[in-house]
Amino acid sequence: MQCPGANYLVFIMGYSVVAGAAGRLLFGYDSFGNVCGKKNSPVEGAPLSGQDMTLKKHVFFMNSCNLEVKDVRLGPTALCVSSCPEEQLDTLEDVQLFAHTSGSFLCVYSLNSFNYTQSPNAELLCPRLPVPPSKSFPLFNRCIPQTPECYSLFASVLINDVDTLHRILSGIMSGKDTILGLCILALALSLAMVFTFRFITTLLVHIFISLVILGLLFVCGVLWWLYYDYTNDLSIELDTEWENMKCVLGFAILSTVIMAVLLVLIFVLRKRIKLTVELFQVTNKAISSSPFLLFQPLWTFAILIFFWVLWVAVLLSLGTAGAAQVIEGGQVEYKPLLDIQCMWWYHLIGLIWTSEFILACQQMTIAGAVVTCYFNRNKNDPPDHPILSSLSILLCYHQGTVVKGSFLITVMRIPRTILMCICNALKEKQHRASSRCVFKCCNCCFWCLDKYLHHLNQNAYTTTAINGTDFCTSAKDAFKILSENSSHFTSVNWFGDFIIFLGKVLVVCFTVFGGLMAFNYNRALQVWAIPLLLVAFFAYLVAHSFLSVFETVLDALFLCFAVDLETNDGSSEKPYFMDQEFLSFVKRSNKLNNAKAQQDKNSSRNEEGTELRPIVR
């Protein structure tokens, strides 16, 4: 079976090439139907169309920084020019001089450059002054304003959310160097966490948990200190400062709640640390037989980026598919075709399905490599190239399993996405709170089901790698095996996942702390709440991408152990595939669980009390 994205992408790509106009997307076009950098055919009813724009390869947007947008979205008039103005032009004389020296005319084509300073219609046909400096955007040749305020307003006009997006993009652009540095910091911290889990010891776990606690306390303390500093700063006058103060309060409350929950969990589960260290040592032993497992997220991420770029390119190409229509002023707009609307939904479903397919291929590859190494009798002679072997088996025999698993996730995602859209629509129309509450509860249920299906799919892929069965059979067998053997490893495995989650929290904490310190130095000039959220999300995404390898290996190991118990008894005729280190770890884990169960049983008996007897004198 082929990749689910292959057929749909080939079809939609073919349709976008036939019905779309890739030239308009790639080279850009003006408001009169001319594609920049090409010789054009005239459009009936548009007198300024059909011009030779071979030497005019850049798209210049007039009034990109001075639009007055209130109730409706207004796009700026676009012209094809030979070069972008890299310096600010304050007067019409400057615009005229720029036209004569560079051959780049920034006024509407019908106005001769010699009349820029004399024509009474110059204010309508030329850009509003001052003209901000701009540079050509790589590849697409658009003249993009370079000042943060102009850039954000320009982008917000195109996206139609002026007030909010203006401030957000202004903060992002003014702090882009800081954001890039924080993303690099998150990547470095994630790699450090990978090496920490790779060579973990009991002392290292205690140090690691101490760092998590200190990080949580430090971030919470800094957030509350910043809020106190904002509230006592009498010089706060700008709206950005008030918005930052509100966001700091929200961050402080949220981080305090998260810190309290995590501290309680750490205190309750502190006695499991020794077993967790042994668990990671067993996991690292499995990884050492195929160390390139740690680099699987890299190629998965590269494939996802390639697919997402291709998906966006096809989507934008579909957006250019339309018929030319002349509007007021002799300008030309392209009206989308009717069947494009349905194709956009189909394209969105393809995005979710194919993304889940790529991620499922990584899970299947890792599970197959772990299974190959686990069910190897000679532990001193590990199999050659287990990752390549697992990948080849996946491509030759088990693509259908991965397609079904990813499609199951997609089916769950579609109603959840629809519910989110309905909930947002109800919020905008100010419907009753009870209706929104019902939709949010349904969305929460779908989220829980989505997480459960992800876990079930992972176990199904591992069972497929063990038995070679189809997806449905593997999912049923995995559910049965895990249900019958959950007492052996559920608590320890869960605490191992919890330690990995703490690793992600540690990466986010230190990245957010760096962001707080960096953004706070320029608090009056930017709204840094959204950039900080983006940085925190990126930090968690990177940490999850790298540390999820340990989670996948853990789940696969314990499922292999359960299958090993089902099929073998440890005798000379049916010896276990697990090594002695893993077997001793399982025995110690069972002993601890049995002791805890016996203690709970004794405590419950004591709570029942004893029978009253008469007092004998």
Side-chain angles (χ1 to χ4, degrees):
M1 184 179 292
Q2 296 179 347
C3 170
N7 293 329
Y8 105 90
L9 266 182
V10 169
F11 171 73
I12 292 188
M13 285 176 63
Y15 183 87
S16 63
V17 170
V18 174
R24 294 205 310 267
L25 173 66
L26 183 61
F27 301 106
Y29 60 98
D30 62 14
S31 299
F32 307 99
N34 300 298
V35 177
C36 299
K38 299 181 67 176
K39 189 173 183 180
N40 299 274
S41 300
V43 178
E44 185 177 356
L48 296 180
S49 64
Q51 300 191 35
D52 186 1
M53 298 294 182
T54 306
L55 301 178
K56 300 178 179 181
K57 300 180 179 180
H58 304 275
V59 182
F60 173 74
F61 297 93
M62 297 174 62
N63 308 331
S64 57
C65 295
N66 301 287
L67 290 178
E68 297 179 358
V69 184
K70 295 182 179 180
D71 298 327
V72 296
R73 177 165 64 101
L74 298 175
T77 302
L79 300 174
C80 293
V81 297
S82 57
S83 62
C84 303
E86 296 185 358
E87 297 181 357
Q88 181 169 300
L89 306 178
D90 297 314
T91 63
L92 287 176
E93 286 77 7
D94 293 338
V95 176
Q96 187 180 54
L97 179 63
F98 177 74
H100 291 161
T101 55
S102 65
S104 184
F105 306 100
L106 304 183
C107 298
V108 176
Y109 308 133
S110 58
L111 181 63
N112 191 287
S113 62
F114 293 99
N115 297 326
Y116 281 3
T117 58
Q118 301 175 1
S119 174
N121 297 325
E123 293 184 359
L124 300 177
L125 301 178
C126 293
R128 189 176 301 180
L129 301 173
V131 179
S134 59
K135 289 185 179 180
S136 178
F137 187 77
L139 182 64
F140 292 103
N141 297 328
R142 269 69 167 177
C143 294
I144 306 298
Q146 291 303 294
T147 58
E149 294 79 8
C150 290
Y151 177 85
S152 58
L153 181 58
F154 168 77
S156 63
V157 168
L158 297 181
I159 304 177
N160 193 22
D161 191 5
V162 178
D163 295 332
T164 303
L165 196 62
H166 181 196
R167 295 190 293 269
I168 293 174
L169 290 179
S170 178
I172 291 176
M173 186 174 181
S174 57
K176 57 185 178 182
D177 295 333
T178 304
I179 294 174
L180 180 60
L182 291 172
C183 291
I184 296 174
L185 174 63
L187 180 61
L189 290 173
S190 300
L191 292 174
M193 291 308 305
V194 169
F195 286 103
T196 300
F197 284 112
R198 183 69 179 85
F199 305 102
I200 201 165
T201 61
T202 304
L203 177 61
L204 199 58
V205 170
H206 283 90
I207 296 175
F208 167 71
I209 294 179
S210 301
L211 286 175
V212 172
I213 295 174
L214 290 176
L216 290 170
L217 292 173
F218 204 65
V219 169
C220 288
V222 169
L223 285 169
W224 284 112
W225 173 78
L226 284 176
Y227 177 69
Y228 175 80
D229 188 49
Y230 270 111
T231 54
N232 289 276
D233 189 357
L234 301 179
S235 63
I236 291 181
E237 296 179 355
L238 299 178
D239 291 338
T240 55
E241 293 179 299
W242 285 104
E243 291 180 6
N244 287 338
M245 184 179 67
K246 295 178 183 177
C247 293
V248 165
L249 177 60
F251 284 145
I253 295 174
L254 180 62
S255 62
T256 303
V257 173
I258 294 175
M259 179 192 69
V261 173
L262 290 180
L263 288 179
V264 170
L265 289 174
I266 291 173
F267 178 78
V268 171
L269 300 172
R270 68 190 186 281
K271 296 182 180 180
R272 298 274 180 177
I273 292 178
K274 187 175 181 180
L275 278 177
T276 303
V277 172
E278 296 179 12
L279 173 64
F280 278 107
Q281 289 174 350
V282 171
T283 304
N284 288 325
K285 190 173 182 180
I287 293 177
S288 62
S289 59
S290 52
F292 286 102
L293 283 176
L294 296 176
F295 298 97
Q296 292 305 299
L298 293 178
W299 67 262
T300 303
F301 187 70
I303 294 176
L304 281 173
I305 290 296
F306 173 77
F307 168 69
W308 289 339
V309 169
L310 180 62
W311 185 88
V312 171
V314 173
L315 179 65
L316 294 177
S317 185
L318 284 175
T320 62
Q325 185 178 10
V326 181
I327 59 176
E328 185 180 358
Q331 296 189 3
V332 177
E333 69 174 8
Y334 293 89
K335 187 176 182 181
L337 302 177
L338 295 178
D339 50 351
I340 293 295
Q341 304 293 334
C342 297
M343 197 162 290
W344 284 346
W345 284 101
Y346 185 53
H347 198 46
L348 177 62
I349 294 173
L351 169 68
I352 300 174
W353 192 1
T354 307
S355 300
E356 291 295 334
F357 174 83
I358 295 171
L359 294 173
C361 285
Q362 172 184 296
Q363 295 176 346
M364 187 76 176
T365 302
I366 296 176
V370 172
V371 167
T372 302
C373 296
Y374 183 94
F375 291 101
N376 177 38
R377 288 294 183 187
N378 189 0
K379 300 300 182 182
N380 296 323
D381 184 20
D384 296 330
H385 311 297
I387 298 177
L388 293 178
S389 175
S390 175
L391 184 61
S392 62
I393 293 175
L394 165 64
L395 296 176
C396 295
Y397 302 106
H398 298 314
Q399 286 194 54
T401 298
V402 179
V403 167
K404 290 177 183 177
S406 56
F407 178 73
L408 188 62
I409 299 296
T410 306
V411 170
M412 290 296 105
R413 289 279 175 88
I414 294 174
R416 184 182 169 194
T417 304
I418 295 175
L419 282 175
M420 291 177 63
C421 295
I422 294 176
C423 187
N424 292 332
L426 292 177
K427 185 177 181 180
E428 293 177 357
K429 295 182 180 180
Q430 297 182 350
H431 278 239
R432 290 184 301 176
S434 58
S435 302
R436 296 198 302 270
C437 181
V438 170
F439 281 107
K440 288 182 179 179
C441 291
C442 294
N443 187 29
C444 181
C445 293
F446 275 110
W447 180 84
C448 295
L449 183 59
D450 181 76
K451 294 299 180 183
Y452 173 76
L453 288 177
H454 268 97
H455 181 68
L456 181 64
N457 280 1
Q458 173 59 51
N459 293 321
Y461 299 148
T462 306
T463 307
T464 298
I466 297 172
N467 300 327
T469 52
D470 62 274
F471 176 78
C472 296
T473 305
S474 298
K476 182 182 68 175
D477 293 342
F479 180 79
K480 180 181 178 181
I481 292 173
L482 291 176
S483 300
E484 294 176 351
N485 297 275
S486 60
S487 60
H488 290 289
F489 50 80
T490 299
S491 58
V492 179
N493 190 20
W494 186 86
F495 188 60
D497 291 339
F498 178 68
I499 291 293
I500 294 174
F501 175 73
L502 288 182
K504 303 172 187 177
V505 172
L506 183 64
V507 172
V508 175
C509 280
F510 279 94
T511 306
V512 169
F513 171 72
L516 288 173
M517 294 295 98
F519 287 124
N520 190 55
Y521 284 112
N522 199 16
R523 60 168 65 177
L525 299 181
Q526 56 181 318
V527 176
W528 47 260
I530 297 300
L532 188 62
L533 276 178
L534 292 176
V535 168
F537 175 75
F538 179 82
Y540 183 82
L541 182 64
V542 172
H544 174 74
S545 299
F546 283 95
L547 297 181
S548 62
V549 175
F550 290 93
E551 293 179 340
T552 306
V553 173
L554 272 176
D555 294 337
L557 273 178
F558 279 114
L559 189 58
C560 291
F561 161 73
V563 173
D564 200 4
L565 288 181
E566 289 281 335
T567 55
N568 302 297
D569 55 9
S571 62
S572 57
E573 291 80 10
K574 292 184 177 181
Y576 291 127
F577 281 95
M578 71 184 83
D579 54 18
Q580 291 300 319
E581 184 179 355
F582 195 4
L583 183 59
S584 60
F585 163 74
V586 173
K587 289 181 178 179
R588 284 192 296 271
S589 176
N590 290 337
K591 184 178 180 180
L592 181 62
N593 290 334
N594 294 333
K596 188 176 183 303
Q598 185 65 32
Q599 183 180 359
D600 294 339
K601 185 177 180 181
N602 293 336
S603 62
S604 63
R605 286 181 178 178
N606 293 333
E607 291 176 357
E608 293 176 358
T610 56
E611 183 180 357
L612 293 177
R613 297 180 180 179
I615 299 176
V616 179
R617 296 185 181 273

